[in-house]
Amino acid sequence: MTVKTQVAVEGGVLDNESVSINEEIDYGVVSVHHVGILCENLERSLDFYQNILGLKINEARPHDKLPYKGAWLWVGSEMIHLMELPNPDPLTGRPQHGGRDRHTCIAIRDVSKLKAILDKAGIPYTLSRSGRPAIFTRDPDANALEFTQIDD
C-alpha cells in the first residue's frame, strides 16, 4: 500500500511524499508524543529547560500521580517529560559532540539566536559537523540535545 503523507509544522506543510506502508503492521502511527529525559535534580533541570531554553510547563499533565518527581514541558505540540530518577548512563566518557550520542532533536527557527543564548549562559555546545545549521549541547545531567534550524 502506498499513501500520501504530509508533515505539518504549526499548520504549514513542509513536504508531501509517498510512503510505503505494510498493511499488516499499520497500527496508526501519528507522531512522537513525548520524550522521557532522566534528571538527578528536577529543580536544576527545570531551571535549564525553562530559563535557558524557554520551554513552558504543561500544567494539564499530572505531576503528582507517579511515584517520582517530574514535569511535562511543551516542545511545539509535543513534550519532554523530565523524570527525577536514577540515571543508568555514565556521566563521564560520553562523546563531546552530542550528535554521536543518544539525543533528542528539537526543530527551531534561529540557530544563531540560540547560540547567543547559550554563549551568554556559558553553556558549551558544538555545531553540526555536516555544515547544516544545528547546535548540540547537553543539559545539566549530560543528556544530549540537538537543535536544528528549519525553514518556514
Side-chain angles (χ1 to χ4, degrees), residues 97-99 111 115 125-137:
H97 181 63
V111 165
K115 183 178 179 290
Y125 58 84
T126 57
L127 300 176
S128 173
R129 298 198 172 155
S130 70
R132 64 191 169 80
I135 291 179
F136 292 83
T137 191

Side-chain angles (χ1 to χ4, degrees), residues 4-148:
K4 284 288 199 182
T5 62
Q6 292 183 335
V7 178
V9 175
E10 295 180 8
V13 174
L14 288 178
D15 194 12
N16 286 326
E17 62 183 59
S18 293
V19 177
S20 294
I21 296 176
N22 183 336
E23 289 180 12
E24 294 175 19
I25 59 170
D26 178 14
Y27 50 92
V29 172
V30 177
S31 70
V32 173
H33 182 268
H34 71 273
V35 174
I37 296 181
L38 301 179
C39 62
E40 181 181 354
N41 180 293
L42 181 63
E43 287 73 26
R44 181 183 67 182
S45 292
L46 284 172
D47 182 57
F48 174 79
Y49 284 93
Q50 290 183 287
N51 298 328
I52 302 296
L53 300 182
L55 302 183
K56 305 289 184 206
I57 290 181
N58 179 353
E59 298 290 348
R61 295 297 299 183
H63 58 84
D64 58 351
K65 304 277 186 211
L66 299 171
Y68 53 84
K69 291 169 59 177
W72 297 82
L73 300 164
W74 284 113
V75 181
S77 61
E78 287 75 31
M79 293 171 281
I80 287 176
H81 183 197
L82 291 176
M83 300 175 288
E84 188 177 284
L85 291 168
N87 190 340
D89 293 330
L91 297 180
T92 59
R94 310 278 289 277
Q96 179 186 8
H97 181 63
R100 296 180 180 222
D101 199 356
R102 289 181 299 278
H103 61 276
T104 299
C105 182
I106 298 172
I108 63 173
R109 303 256 184 247
D110 190 346
V111 165
S112 62
K113 188 170 181 180
L114 178 59
K115 183 178 179 290
I117 291 167
L118 295 174
D119 285 338
K120 183 178 179 184
I123 296 172
Y125 58 84
T126 57
L127 300 176
S128 173
R129 298 198 172 155
S130 70
R132 64 191 169 80
I135 291 179
F136 292 83
T137 191
R138 292 188 182 273
D139 74 3
D141 292 283
N143 295 301
L145 300 169
E146 175 184 358
F147 297 87
T148 188

